């Protein structure tokens, strides 16, 4: 690297401060209502929380991806269940449409998503397909005037509330990744039905199973080229890992914060448990892991902001941050003793929310494979990029 600067800019510090204020004043008081809160999402959109990586033309502030990561971390530090919004309103949906969409699709969807006037979702996963995206079974047919989609999607964040979806589908399953297409679908189309999925954590983020029966999408809604959906997916996932990794850091930081507070307050054997070496050791490990995860995330995001390849670095960051948050949430539970298990304290929620970070946007094993294949010289993770962020800055 030809330069190293750990100081956030004045503008990024300002939005970090504003996000922290919002999270403390508006999110925290309602933390026990573990449901989707449309009003909070609208406010986040209006305050520009989803727009950091977008040009003004699309409702953004052009602050860059590092600002996006910082904002996402601050929100997740209070409610990790709001973290998926940083993908479905920004990086995996709106940015993908801006990057790969026709000008018609960009104008129709991007600004509304960034401002949270419309809600988005990304549909990769299916009953028979998770990590192996090239095996997607949902079908897409070119009907001349429109595309026709049939199939089922599972585990779709925002699936039950979204107005706009990016659906990944195949026109010929035998072609595997070469048969994939990515298309934007309006969810008010006939044949689009959803059913919410109950789950362990992240409860302010609704998850749904989606059925598509003869759902239509206009031709101008194809992202990239026909059969180019796998490439669209891979760059969307790289970007999605920015939000997932920074969300994991925010949640890990919340575990550190509450553990320090509790350890200083809780008296056993006549003194605060913070004074016992074993507890101190846990705090030291939690702080170190969290700060190391943050630095890995910021390095990956910084490379992206510099238009440089970052697939390897963001996978490494996502992997490490995911492992960190699960470990640190467990340590926070331990420091809280029985109170960790209580519904009165936030720790049980942190513990439930943490696990997702080892699953979404590529499981821990998929990240391990990417990192190891790169290290062993089997397959280089970083490739020449089709598009870089500077192409979209100051977009007229
Ligand atoms: C809360 C939540 C939100 C989600 N949101 C979305 C969303 O918005 N959109 C969307 O499309 N999906 C979403 N998902 C789905 C998520 O992306 C998948 O769960 C994830 O990709 C893993 O797929 P899977 O669950 O089918 O697991 P599988 O792929 O079946 O994997 C099961 C296990 O096998 C391991 N494994 C698989 N293949 C290999 C291999 N080659 N080598 C070693 N180990 C392997 C995995 O690491 C994992 O441990 C969400 C999931 C959750 C839990």
């Amino acid at each position: 690297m030809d330069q190293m600067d750990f100081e956030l800019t004045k503008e990024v510090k300002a939005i970090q401060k504003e996000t922290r204020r919002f999270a403390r004043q508006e999110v925290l008081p309602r933390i026990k209502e573990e449901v989707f809160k449309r009003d909070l999402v609208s406010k986040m959109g209006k305050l520009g929380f989803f727009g950091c990586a977008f040009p003004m033309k699309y409702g953004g502030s052009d602050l860059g991806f590092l600002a996006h990561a910082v904002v996402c971390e601050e929100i997740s530090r209070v409610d990790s269940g709001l973290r998926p919004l940083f993908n479905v309103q920004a990086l995996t949906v709106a940015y993908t449409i801006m990057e790969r969409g026709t000008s018609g699709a960009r104008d129709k969807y991007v600004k509304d998503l960034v401002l949270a006037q419309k809600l988005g979702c990304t549909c990769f996963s299916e009953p028979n397909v998770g990590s192996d995206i090239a095996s997607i079974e949902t079908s897409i047919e070119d009907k001349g005037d429109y595309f026709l989609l049939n199939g089922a999607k599972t585990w779709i964040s925002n699936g039950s509330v979204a107005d706009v979806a990016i659906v990944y589908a195949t026109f010929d399953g035998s072609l595997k990744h070469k048969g994939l297409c990515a298309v934007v679908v309006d969810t008010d189309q006939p044949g689009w039905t959803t059913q919410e999925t109950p789950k362990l954590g992240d409860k302010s983020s609704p998850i749904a199973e989606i059925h598509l029966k003869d759902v239509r999408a206009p031709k101008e809604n194809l992202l990239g080229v026909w059969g180019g959906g796998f490439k669209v997916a891979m760059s969307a996932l790289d970007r999605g890992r920015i939000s997932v990794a920074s969300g994991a850091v925010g949640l890990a930081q919340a575990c550190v914060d509450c553990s320090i507070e509790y350890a200083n307050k809780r008296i056993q054997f006549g003194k605060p448990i913070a004074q016992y070496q074993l507890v101190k050791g846990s705090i030291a490990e939690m702080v170190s892991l969290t700060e190391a995860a943050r630095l890995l995330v910021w390095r990956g995001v910084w490379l992206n902001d510099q238009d440089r390849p970052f697939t390897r670095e963001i996978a490494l960051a996502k992997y490490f941050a995911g492992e960190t948050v699960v470990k640190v949430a467990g340590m926070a539970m331990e420091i809280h003793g029985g109170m960790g298990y209580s519904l009165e304290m936030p720790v049980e929620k942190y513990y439930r929310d943490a696990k997702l970070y080892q699953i979404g946007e590529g499981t821990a094993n998929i990240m391990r494979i990417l990192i190891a294949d790169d290290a062993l010289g089997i397959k280089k993770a970083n490739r020449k990029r089709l598009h870089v962020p500077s192409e979209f800055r100051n977009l007229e």
Side-chain angles (χ1 to χ4, degrees), residues 30-331:
R30 295 169 64 189
I31 198 79
K32 287 288 174 196
E33 303 161 32
E34 288 196 80
V35 292
F36 178 65
K37 302 171 191 101
R38 182 65 175 97
D39 60 320
L40 276 189
V41 183
S42 300
K43 282 187 188 170
M44 289 165 74
K46 270 194 199 135
L47 287 167
F49 293 171
F50 306 126
C52 298
F54 291 82
M56 311 279 182
K57 176 179 163 105
Y58 292 120
S61 55
D62 217 358
L63 285 174
F65 285 84
L66 183 58
H68 176 95
V70 165
V71 169
C72 182
E73 179 185 331
E74 288 300 330
I75 292 293
S76 193
R77 190 173 173 180
V78 174
D79 183 4
S80 174
L82 295 174
R83 194 278 318 156
L85 293 164
F86 288 86
N87 273 351
V88 293
Q89 297 308 122
L91 301 194
T92 53
V93 183
Y95 203 94
T96 303
I97 299 174
M98 181 173 78
E99 186 185 60
R100 306 295 179 122
T102 58
S103 60
R106 281 177 174 179
D107 291 346
K108 185 168 175 200
Y109 301 110
V110 177
K111 189 170 182 182
D112 284 353
L113 286 164
V114 168
L115 297 177
Q117 284 161 358
K118 280 191 175 146
L119 299 173
C121 70
T122 289
C123 305
F124 295 111
S125 305
E126 300 183 351
N128 296 326
V129 178
S131 304
D132 181 13
I133 286 175
S135 295
I136 276 175
E137 293 171 353
T138 295
S139 67
I140 181 165
E141 287 174 73
D142 187 340
K143 290 289 190 185
D145 294 341
Y146 58 90
F147 297 122
L148 195 67
L149 293 128
N150 279 287
K153 296 287 177 181
T154 50
W155 287 108
I156 306 304
S157 302
N158 254 15
S160 54
V161 294
D163 306 292
V164 180
I166 296 183
V167 177
Y168 291 83
T170 182
F171 64 88
D172 180 351
S174 70
L175 294 178
K176 294 289 177 181
H177 62 281
K178 290 188 177 153
L180 275 192
C181 299
V183 67
V184 185
V185 175
D186 292 305
T187 65
D188 60 2
Q189 289 298 300
W192 179 276
T193 52
T194 67
Q195 190 177 9
E196 215 164 301
T197 309
K199 58 182 168 31
L200 175 71
D202 259 8
K203 298 209 172 185
S204 41
S205 164
I207 297 276
E209 189 172 303
I210 297 171
H211 290 271
L212 297 92
K213 192 169 178 340
D214 291 336
V215 172
R216 292 183 180 206
K219 296 294 281 277
E220 72 164 4
N221 280 16
L222 186 70
L223 300 175
V225 296
W226 184 249
F230 193 75
K231 284 190 177 148
V232 177
M234 290 303 112
S235 53
L237 284 167
D238 278 349
R239 269 194 306 272
R241 284 171 197 150
I242 294 175
S243 305
V244 176
S246 39
V249 172
L251 181 53
Q253 187 62 54
C255 294
V256 171
D257 298 342
C258 71
S259 298
I260 290 172
E261 192 184 337
Y262 190 79
N264 276 326
K265 270 203 316 227
R266 176 71 176 166
I267 311 283
Q268 284 299 285
F269 302 99
K271 52 185 182 181
I273 60 168
Q275 291 182 24
Y276 296 112
Q277 280 189 352
L278 287 169
V279 176
K280 275 190 187 169
S282 294
I283 297 283
E285 195 172 349
M286 292 167 79
V287 170
S288 308
L289 286 171
T290 303
E291 294 202 11
R294 181 179 295 111
L295 285 179
L296 282 176
V297 176
W298 285 8
R299 177 184 67 162
V301 178
W302 178 83
L303 285 170
N304 182 41
D305 272 330
Q306 304 295 312
D307 286 350
R308 287 156 68 164
F310 74 120
T311 299
R312 173 185 175 274
E313 286 74 16
I314 205 65
L316 222 146
K318 192 265 166 187
Y319 171 60
F320 189 79
E323 299 301 298
T324 291
V325 72
V326 169
K327 181 158 193 199
V328 161
M331 293 171 94

